[in-house]
Amino acid sequence: MLDKVFRKKNLVVVGLNAGTSADGLDLAAARINFQSVHPGIKYITGQSVSYPTVLRSMVDDAINNRLRSLDEYIYLDRRLGIFYGEQASRFCRSLIKSGIKPDLLGSHGQTVRHLPGQVKIGRRMESGTLQPGHPESIAGRCGLPVVADFRQADIAAGGEGAPITSYAMWLLFGNSSHHRLMLNIGGIANYFLFPAGDKAVKMMAADCGPGNSLLDIITRKFFNRMFDQGGRLAARGVPSRRLLLALMADNFLKGKYGPSTGRERFGEQFARKIIGMAADLKLNKHDILATTTELTAAAIARTLKKFPRKYGLNEFYLFGGGMKNPYLIERLKFYFPGISFISVDRLGFNPDYLEAVCYAVMGGLAVKGIPSGLPHITGARKTSMAGRIVQPTQG
């Protein structure tokens, strides 16, 4: 089966992405043409599936270090793989019914730990990252090869393993004549800047700071809702400048760390910090959420403030759940007067499934033996071949 995939010049690949928000799975199919040096990529369709309540609770426990044993982690890895495999199998069957036959899958897994430069090995601090989602279980249920563990080769080469989709994003959006900036407001906010030209080594990418995950945590704690729909709860509050200045003093937001971060820094512990400071300032719950939303906007602004003038940018392309928060977008417009915030669907890609498309692209690159690591982005010592290939069990 894999030999046939290796030989094909045109592949249909299904990408699976479970983001930092840890609320479910995105699936996207893309057609990738490898007949030229620069692969042609066309989005086909996508779908989102929420985690069942028990599974979501286990993922949340893993992220927040509440699993009681290694056995529970092993169970979670297998349970996620089975869930991903079941959903991917249904998705693939629907593609086949419409006359589209998938060739393979690319699965990112669910990040439950991301430790850039925080793991002490001997006398050195190294990076580590962990994404359960048992690819063998996915392959077994779909009967297709699966490419997974995209971050580990970059980690082994001394990088942070993030932002790992940079090369796939460059293939999708790099342009020989136009500068472009893509802003992803997912669980963590990050950006991809593509200066005009045909060289991926010129692009820039990094995490900006907190995104939806921190907002969701605050919303659950104070309003007993899963997220602040439309930013309406935050819009009823007034951001506290004193609290914002204190939060912006975080070392990552001051640029003292590498290109990536995660919920280890901007998750439950940071939320408790916000709540403690807010209590001292006697802020109400709407003001706390408004200030947390302002933190996301201010962190993005601090990271991106030099780019509009330097590259003559007058628009940012948006994807990620945060683009559906009008209040957050309003605050971004405050920091970037004159900049238009435009959905990435203007460029032919559904913003809800763009990251899943990236993992489809990375899966295709892996089976073609094309390296997709960008050392100048992640801090790795050399370019890496991202992903390992898992074949379905025979018989």
Side-chain angles (χ1 to χ4, degrees):
M1 177 182 289
L2 203 52
D3 288 343
K4 184 179 178 181
V5 174
F6 286 151
R7 291 194 300 268
K8 291 186 71 172
K9 294 293 185 182
N10 288 280
L11 296 175
V12 173
V13 189
V14 173
L16 312 180
N17 176 58
T20 314
S21 295
D23 53 2
L25 178 70
D26 295 329
L27 307 97
R31 194 181 302 276
I32 310 173
N33 184 337
F34 288 98
Q35 290 178 322
S36 62
V37 175
H38 193 295
I41 303 157
K42 184 177 180 181
Y43 166 72
I44 299 173
T45 189
Q47 180 184 357
S48 294
V49 184
S50 297
Y51 283 148
T53 301
V54 173
L55 184 57
R56 179 168 182 164
S57 178
M58 281 201 71
V59 170
D60 193 59
D61 285 345
I63 290 171
N64 293 299
N65 209 28
R66 291 194 296 261
L67 292 184
R68 292 167 294 184
S69 68
L70 183 59
D71 291 356
E72 286 191 338
Y73 174 79
I74 293 171
Y75 174 80
L76 174 63
D77 181 41
R78 283 278 284 132
R79 185 61 250 176
L80 283 170
I82 292 168
F83 177 76
Y84 295 164
E86 290 170 347
Q87 302 308 318
S89 180
R90 292 190 184 99
F91 187 72
C92 288
R93 288 199 299 270
S94 70
L95 289 172
I96 291 170
K97 285 181 180 178
S98 62
I100 300 168
K101 186 178 179 182
D103 295 295
L104 73 149
L105 298 92
S107 177
H108 173 257
Q110 174 65 68
T111 297
V112 297
R113 194 74 81 247
H114 185 65
L115 303 171
Q118 298 176 46
V119 182
K120 190 171 184 179
I121 301 175
R123 296 181 179 180
R124 296 183 59 177
M125 297 301 292
E126 301 280 2
S127 296
T129 193
L130 195 60
Q131 288 79 36
H134 210 250
E136 291 80 2
S137 294
I138 303 172
R141 276 160 175 75
C142 294
L144 293 171
V146 175
V147 183
D149 290 337
F150 291 110
R151 300 179 186 269
Q152 300 303 335
D154 187 82
I155 292 284
E160 293 193 2
I164 202 62
T165 59
S166 296
Y167 185 64
M169 288 287 289
W170 180 78
L171 290 175
L172 293 173
F173 301 114
N175 190 283
S176 60
S177 57
H178 299 293
H179 305 306
R180 281 180 177 160
L181 189 143
M182 324 298 292
L183 175 59
N184 173 31
I185 313 176
I188 296 292
N190 52 38
Y191 79 93
F192 301 85
L193 174 69
F194 308 100
D198 58 358
K199 295 186 182 299
V201 294
K202 293 183 178 179
M203 75 167 288
M204 289 174 269
D207 289 344
C208 304
N212 301 321
S213 291
L214 188 58
L215 295 176
D216 293 348
I217 292 168
I218 295 294
T219 301
R220 288 196 296 269
K221 287 184 180 295
F222 285 107
F223 299 96
N224 198 29
R225 300 183 189 181
M226 296 308 294
F227 62 96
D228 182 12
Q229 188 168 15
R232 289 190 283 270
L233 296 170
R236 292 172 59 184
V238 177
S240 164
R241 180 168 177 79
R242 288 179 64 189
L243 178 56
L244 178 64
L245 288 174
L247 298 175
M248 287 293 290
D250 177 86
N251 281 335
F252 180 85
L253 301 181
K254 291 166 68 175
K256 293 187 177 181
Y257 291 96
S260 66
T261 187
R263 286 178 60 167
E264 294 74 21
R265 177 171 290 271
F266 297 113
E268 290 280 353
Q269 186 174 349
F270 201 84
R272 289 194 292 270
K273 177 180 177 180
I274 291 173
I275 293 168
M277 290 180 171
D280 293 339
L281 295 171
K282 295 181 171 52
L283 301 180
N284 66 48
K285 59 185 182 181
H286 290 95
D287 292 347
I288 295 170
L289 185 55
T291 308
T292 307
T293 306
E294 193 76 13
L295 174 66
T296 294
I300 291 170
R302 177 179 282 182
T303 305
L304 307 184
K305 62 183 179 182
K306 61 181 180 290
F307 294 143
R309 179 176 296 180
K310 183 174 181 179
Y311 293 96
L313 298 171
N314 55 25
E315 55 194 18
F316 290 174
Y317 289 95
L318 291 177
F319 62 106
M323 65 176 290
K324 300 176 183 178
N325 184 329
Y327 177 71
L328 174 57
I329 302 305
E330 176 188 314
R331 298 313 303 153
L332 284 171
K333 289 178 178 179
F334 168 80
Y335 287 103
F336 293 101
I339 294 291
S340 297
F341 291 85
I342 304 170
S343 171
V344 76
D345 62 11
R346 184 81 62 87
L347 300 176
F349 290 89
N350 187 314
D352 292 335
Y353 309 116
L354 180 55
E355 288 184 285
V357 168
C358 285
Y359 293 116
V361 172
M362 293 176 71
L365 294 173
V367 298
K368 291 298 180 181
I370 301 172
S372 58
L374 290 179
H376 78 283
I377 298 289
T378 64
R381 294 183 294 273
K382 59 183 179 180
T383 302
S384 61
M385 186 73 68
R388 66 180 178 93
I389 303 170
V390 175
Q391 295 199 63
T393 302
Q394 300 298 314

